[in-house]
């Protein structure tokens, strides 16, 4: 926006100098007086530079048109345009090249795939022209050209390494990861040969663990020899790290019988030399030497150097002899290498190999019991003495308070108060009645075969109970009265369970007397054989149920099916059934004229044989059966 | 009764040998164990002829057809029945349907019907001639507990169960005969004596010889140890043999030892639990083979007795 000049304001005259009624947009043209005149030659030229008198019409020049000025010349008339046969072009067009079908991306890939190799004469001191052999010729490299060649080879190798066929790399690349970027944060690497600042490079690649499937039934490490331990399969790792046996190397199949073989010392030295060579192997950095931390692709995973810290650790590992002799049994390994685990590696920091097989038991003293304390049971009595041996869960306390046994049960069992309680006298046990004792004796089940004395006491107990002579103490041989009481309870339980009428007594018989079949109760579910005194015969209890085998099963077994097997009709029969069903259905369905003159099904409530509810035959108009057939289709 | 001698002691298997059977002729034996391999061995020479690999878990049961052309095997956690072509040594079919591990399998004479018993309390009957979708003919789920043994006769399917019963499914009459033997788990049920008798071994250390006509116990044998594992037994016309958890093979004379029930012979040769004992198919016919039997144990050894 610009203000009007003073002259304009004066011309209009009705505004003051500050008011603006209109604005100027753009740049003013210079006045005509200042406009330079067009040059003479352009004044007579048209828009395309042709002279104004140039004729744009068709050929009007006459016979000498185009030949103007060529008469008498050395060259004569020469066509301005060379004739080009379209057939020739057509032939050229039929020759298609792969590049004709490629788009820009493909062409870029081709460009990237073109390899540039260093010629043999410029290789590092060798006559080889293969780029892969450049790394081997490192020792003989000399001169600047050799170094440059190696750098270039390393760089091109890194470029080649950009493409990876491993599925993990492919997946990570799709997420934005680049090959050579490594996993994890960038590590600081000190280049001790150069005086530059420490570089930040991708972390060392994690070596793959070689795992061979375990096909034997042997334990881990069984039958393994030192020579069977493979190196890391990851080539990059083998270049920068010492050759250590992979974790999975222990799970290798052993085809021969394992024998304890000592590893020859030369193998150890070879392993040491390999590790040293890997440690001292130096790979030059790429020629793209600008310190750009984001430039991580060019510095591939195989190009970084060791830091001094990592080298010291490697040196330590290299110095330590990895004794892998006699790897057949873990015990032999432990015997030979005291500082290493069975796989030859030192234990993790903070851990120490346990050498003693015997665990250290720590015994803690129990609490100090006051002298005036009297527990629930006396110290002389074992806690198990108060518990019947047949599995009863009742617990009896010395105070007569039974937690789980009711008073009735206690009376039946004749639970005695243990000595040590005031005012209690020992009562002879009235455990079982005479009939039970006789039944137990008749059952001839004699437990406690491993303890004849106890067995004798048991029989005596039963005889005493059967004869109702309860007054004498029967268990004087059992030790203390408390043990005798507990034993009596146990005998009572045994007699209750193993009396003749129960199942258990029928399973176990003695060889002296025959079983008393008359004493068997009405609920005895088993029949006993009375011809073998020590027989364990058990007759089967039979029940019969109904079962329907499938017809195909009977057919396969060549057995006629039983009567209750349902008949499975064939397909033809099913078709006939469907026809008959539809014919019957036709009798139920009537069609009625609905709105718009359409057929609407009208279902009858009654069967065709019944009298219709409506007596007006005009309302029921059954169409022909052919209509139903046309609707429902034909089964054939 | 003369004492059988060890003819061959086979150590092909690694791990426990759970099942061993004779073929119909008795010339070959099939063994299967924890190493998931079924081995075909010539009984006369003890030479291994073929190994069938395909199971993913240990093998619990084996069954051979009458013509020795088909072999059915069942594994533990496989939950499937594997059907092999013996001649081609290839896996022909894999019958899946059980929901728990399959413990026993039986095959009909012509190999068309396979019955399998599983821990899922069912007996499944398979048709080998049908397609995979229709291979399962019938499921028998009357049992209250896992199936421990299975026998397939011409007209019956006999299943012994851990619930203490032996169920006989008769296809002719359409009835199931349930026989209970005192509540002890039945670990082995065999049909002996030309189908007239049945040998039932229960956990607890007793073997019953049952008359199938009325269910009466004709004889009972004990002395071996069977308290934790499934120990199989077998009987010929003259003797009853059973494995034991103490590493011995127990032999009873049917006539003489049926009164006492105690074992007349105890054969030593294994160092582990003797899982199965099988008599030679010709033991009832050939006098020379009357003591010929096969035993397999948890020590990985298979012994052919002669």
């Amino acid at each position: 926006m610009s203000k009007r000049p003073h002259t304009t304001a004066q011309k209009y005259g009705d505004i003051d100098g500050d008011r603006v009624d209109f604005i100027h947009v753009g740049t003013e043209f210079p006045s005509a007086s200042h406009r330079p005149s067009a040059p003479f030659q352009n004044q007579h030229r048209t828009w395309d530079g042709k002279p104004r008198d140039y004729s744009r019409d068709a050929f009007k020049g006459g016979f000498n048109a185009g030949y103007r000025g060529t008469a008498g010349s050395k060259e004569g008339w020469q066509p301005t345009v060379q004739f080009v046969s379209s057939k020739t072009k057509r032939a050229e067009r039929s020759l298609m090249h792969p590049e004709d079908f490629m788009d820009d991306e493909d062409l870029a890939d081709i460009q990237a795939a073109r390899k540039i190799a260093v010629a043999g004469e410029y290789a590092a001191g060798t006559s080889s022209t293969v780029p892969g052999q450049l790394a081997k010729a490192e020792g003989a490299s000399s001169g600047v050209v050799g170094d440059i060649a190696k750098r270039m080879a390393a760089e091109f190798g890194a470029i080649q390494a950009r493409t990876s066929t491993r599925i993990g790399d492919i997946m990570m690349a799709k997420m934005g990861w680049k090959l050579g970027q490594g996993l994890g944060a960038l590590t600081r690497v000190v280049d001790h040969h150069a005086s530059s600042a420490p570089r930040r490079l991708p972390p060392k690649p994690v070596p793959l663990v070689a795992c061979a499937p375990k096909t034997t039934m042997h334990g881990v490490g069984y039958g393994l020899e030192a020579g069977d331990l493979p190196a890391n399969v990851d080539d990059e790792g083998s270049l920068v790290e010492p050759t250590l046996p992979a974790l999975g190397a222990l799970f290798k199949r052993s085809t021969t019988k394992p024998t304890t073989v000592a590893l020859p010392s030369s193998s150890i030295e070879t392993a040491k030399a390999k590790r040293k060579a890997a440690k001292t192997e130096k790979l030059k950095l790429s020629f793209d030497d600008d310190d750009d931390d984001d430039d991580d692709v060019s510095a591939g995973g195989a190009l970084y150097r060791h830091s001094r810290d990592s080298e010291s650790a490697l040196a330590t590992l290299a110095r330590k002899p990895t004794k892998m002799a006699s790897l057949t049994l873990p015990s032999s390994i432990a015997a030979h290498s005291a500082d290493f685990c069975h796989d030859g590696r030192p234990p993790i920091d903070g851990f120490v190999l346990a050498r003693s097989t015997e665990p250290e038991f720590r015994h803690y003293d129990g609490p100090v019991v006051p002298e005036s304390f009297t527990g629930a049971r006396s110290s002389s009595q074992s806690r198990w003495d108060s518990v019947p041996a047949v599995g009863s869960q009742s617990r009896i306390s010395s105070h007569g308070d039974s937690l789980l046994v009711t008073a009735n049960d206690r009376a039946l069992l004749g639970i005695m108060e243990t000595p040590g309680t005031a005012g209690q006298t020992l009562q002879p046990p009235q455990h079982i009645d005479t009939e039970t004792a006789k039944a137990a004796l008749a059952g001839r089940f004699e437990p406690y075969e491993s303890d004849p004395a106890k067995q004798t006491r048991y029989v005596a107990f039963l005889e005493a109970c059967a004869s109702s002579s309860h007054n004498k103490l029967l268990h004087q041989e059992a030790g203390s009265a408390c043990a005798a009481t507990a034993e009596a309870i146990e005998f009572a339980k045994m007699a209750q369970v193993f009396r003749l009428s129960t199942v258990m007594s029928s399973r176990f018989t003695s060889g002296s007397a025959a079983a008393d079949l008359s004493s068997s109760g009405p609920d005895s579910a088993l029949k006993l054989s009375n011809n073998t005194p020590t027989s364990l015969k058990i007759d089967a209890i039979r029940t019969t149920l109904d079962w329907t085998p499938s017809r195909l099963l009977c057919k396969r077994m060549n057995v006629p099916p039983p009567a209750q097997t349902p008949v499975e009709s064939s397909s033809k029969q099913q078709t006939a059934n469907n026809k008959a069903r539809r014919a019957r259905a036709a009798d139920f369905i009537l069609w009625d004229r609905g709105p718009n003159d359409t057929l609407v099904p009208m279902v009858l409530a009654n069967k065709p044989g019944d009298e219709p509810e409506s007596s007006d035959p005009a309302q029921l108009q059954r169409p022909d059966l052919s209509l139903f057939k046309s609707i429902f289709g034909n089964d054939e | 009764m003369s004492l059988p001698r060890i003819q061959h002691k086979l150590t092909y298997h690694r791990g426990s040998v759970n099942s061993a059977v004779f073929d119909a002729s008795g010339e070959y034996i099939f063994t299967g164990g924890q190493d998931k391999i079924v081995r075909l061995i010539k009984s006369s020479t003890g030479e291994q002829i073929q190994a069938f690999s395909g199971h993913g878990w240990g093998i619990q049961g084996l069954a051979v057809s009458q013509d020795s052309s088909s072999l059915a095997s069942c594994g533990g956690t496989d939950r499937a029945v594997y059907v092999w072509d013996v001649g081609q040594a290839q896996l022909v079919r894999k019958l899946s349907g059980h929901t728990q591990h399959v413990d026993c399998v039986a095959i009909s004479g012509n190999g068309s019907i396979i019955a399998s018993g599983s821990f899922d309390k069912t007996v499944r009957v398979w048709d080998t001639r049908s397609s995979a979708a229709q291979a399962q003919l019938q499921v028998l789920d009357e049992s209250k507990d896992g199936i421990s043994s299975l026998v397939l006769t011409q007209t019956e399917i006999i299943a012994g169960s851990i619930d203490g019963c032996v169920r006989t499914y008769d296809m002719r009459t359409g009835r199931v005969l349930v026989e209970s033997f005192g509540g002890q788990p039945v670990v082995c049920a065999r049909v002996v004596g030309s189908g007239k008798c049945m040998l039932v071994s229960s956990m607890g250390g007793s073997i019953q010889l049952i008359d199938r006509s009325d269910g009466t116990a004709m004889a009972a044998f004990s002395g071996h140890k069977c308290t934790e594992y499934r120990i199989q037994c077998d009987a010929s016309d003259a003797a009853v043999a059973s494995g034991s958890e103490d590493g011995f093979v127990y032999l009873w004379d049917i006539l003489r030892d049926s009164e006492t029930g105690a074992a007349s012979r105890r054969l030593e040769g294994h160092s582990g639990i003797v899982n199965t004992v099988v008599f030679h198919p010709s033991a009832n016919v050939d006098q020379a083979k009357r003591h010929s039997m096969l035993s397999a144990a948890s020590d990985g050894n298979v012994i052919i007795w002669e």
Side-chain angles (χ1 to χ4, degrees), chain A residues 245-286:
Chain A
L247 181 63
L250 298 175
F251 298 93
K252 188 171 181 180
R253 182 177 183 176
S254 172
T255 57
T256 60
K257 274 193 173 179
T259 56
T260 302
V261 176
L263 183 67
S265 60
S266 61
S267 302
I268 298 177
E269 298 299 326
T270 308
K272 277 188 183 176
K274 279 187 181 176
R275 278 187 238 110
K276 281 188 179 176
K279 182 189 68 174
T280 57
E281 199 174 72
K282 295 293 183 282
L283 294 175
K284 303 297 181 184
L285 298 175
S286 66

Side-chain angles (χ1 to χ4, degrees), chain A residues 159-230:
Chain A
I159 294 174
Q160 289 180 4
R162 285 183 191 177
T163 60
S164 174
T165 60
R166 290 189 278 188
I167 186 63
D169 294 341
I170 295 173
M171 291 170 64
M172 292 177 66
K174 289 187 177 181
M175 293 187 290
W177 177 81
K178 297 178 184 177
L179 189 66
Q181 183 179 345
L183 300 175
L186 298 177
T187 59
R188 187 174 295 277
V189 176
V190 176
D191 185 3
H192 57 273
H193 282 283
S195 61
S196 61
R199 292 174 53 85
R200 294 183 62 197
L201 294 175
K204 298 178 185 179
V206 178
L208 286 178
V209 177
C211 287
K214 186 172 179 295
T215 59
T216 63
M217 301 292 286
H218 299 151
V220 173
Y222 181 74
L224 195 64
E225 297 182 6
D228 295 339
L229 298 175

Side-chain angles (χ1 to χ4, degrees), chain A residues 571-621:
Chain A
S571 59
K572 287 187 178 179
Q573 193 171 0
Q574 285 180 356
T575 305
N577 292 341
N578 291 339
K579 275 188 179 179
R581 188 171 60 250
R582 292 200 190 98
R584 289 194 297 273
D587 298 334
F588 293 92
I589 299 175
L590 295 181
W591 298 94
D592 192 9
R593 294 287 173 184
N596 300 327
D597 201 17
T598 56
L599 283 175
V600 177
M602 181 175 64
V603 180
L604 280 178
N606 301 324
K607 292 184 179 178
D610 301 337
E611 293 182 358
E613 293 179 355
S614 173
S615 60
D616 187 3
Q619 295 182 359
L620 304 175
Q621 296 179 0

Side-chain angles (χ1 to χ4, degrees), chain A residues 3 320 360 478 517 534 621:
Chain A
K3 289 186 177 179
K320 279 189 177 179
E360 299 177 356
L517 297 176
T534 59
Q621 296 179 0

Side-chain angles (χ1 to χ4, degrees), chain A residues 511-629:
Chain A
S512 58
D516 186 2
L517 297 176
S518 61
S519 61
S520 60
D523 58 346
S524 172
L526 297 175
K527 293 180 287 182
L528 297 176
S529 171
N530 54 1
N531 56 350
T532 59
T534 59
S535 170
L536 301 176
K537 296 184 197 174
I538 300 175
D539 292 337
I541 301 172
R542 289 186 156 189
T543 53
T544 307
L545 304 172
D546 289 332
W547 173 60
T548 306
S550 66
R551 295 186 70 84
L552 186 56
L553 173 61
C554 297
K555 180 183 175 183
R556 290 279 186 259
M557 298 295 288
N558 294 325
V559 173
Q564 65 269 26
T565 303
V567 178
E568 297 171 0
S569 58
S570 61
S571 59
K572 287 187 178 179
Q573 193 171 0
Q574 285 180 356
T575 305
N577 292 341
N578 291 339
K579 275 188 179 179
R581 188 171 60 250
R582 292 200 190 98
R584 289 194 297 273
D587 298 334
F588 293 92
I589 299 175
L590 295 181
W591 298 94
D592 192 9
R593 294 287 173 184
N596 300 327
D597 201 17
T598 56
L599 283 175
V600 177
M602 181 175 64
V603 180
L604 280 178
N606 301 324
K607 292 184 179 178
D610 301 337
E611 293 182 358
E613 293 179 355
S614 173
S615 60
D616 187 3
Q619 295 182 359
L620 304 175
Q621 296 179 0
R622 181 185 298 176
D624 195 5
L625 192 61
S626 59
L627 176 63
F628 300 123
K629 287 184 180 178

Side-chain angles (χ1 to χ4, degrees), chain A residues 507 532 534 536-550 552-553 556-557 559 562 564, chain B residues 113 125 127 137-138 140 153-154 171-172 174-176 178-180 208 212-213 215-218 222 259-260:
Chain A
R507 295 296 307 278
T532 59
T534 59
L536 301 176
K537 296 184 197 174
I538 300 175
D539 292 337
I541 301 172
R542 289 186 156 189
T543 53
T544 307
L545 304 172
D546 289 332
W547 173 60
T548 306
S550 66
L552 186 56
L553 173 61
R556 290 279 186 259
M557 298 295 288
V559 173
Q564 65 269 26
Chain B
I113 293 294
V125 185
D127 181 16
L137 286 178
Q138 201 160 1
L140 314 175
T153 64
Q154 291 184 351
M171 286 177 265
R172 295 168 303 177
R175 295 293 185 97
V176 180
V178 182
E179 295 172 294
S180 173
Q208 306 288 327
R212 297 190 66 201
S213 60
T216 55
M218 299 162 54
S222 64
E259 297 297 322
T260 60

Side-chain angles (χ1 to χ4, degrees), chain B residues 137-179:
Chain B
L137 286 178
Q138 201 160 1
V139 178
L140 314 175
D141 55 357
E142 285 77 10
S143 176
K144 305 296 184 298
D145 211 328
I147 308 298
S148 59
S149 63
L150 209 54
V151 178
L152 197 57
T153 64
Q154 291 184 351
T155 59
E156 293 166 330
I157 301 173
I158 303 170
S161 173
I162 304 178
D163 62 0
C165 297
V166 175
R167 291 174 176 82
T168 303
Y169 298 85
D170 196 337
M171 286 177 265
R172 295 168 303 177
T173 61
R175 295 293 185 97
V176 180
L177 181 63
V178 182
E179 295 172 294

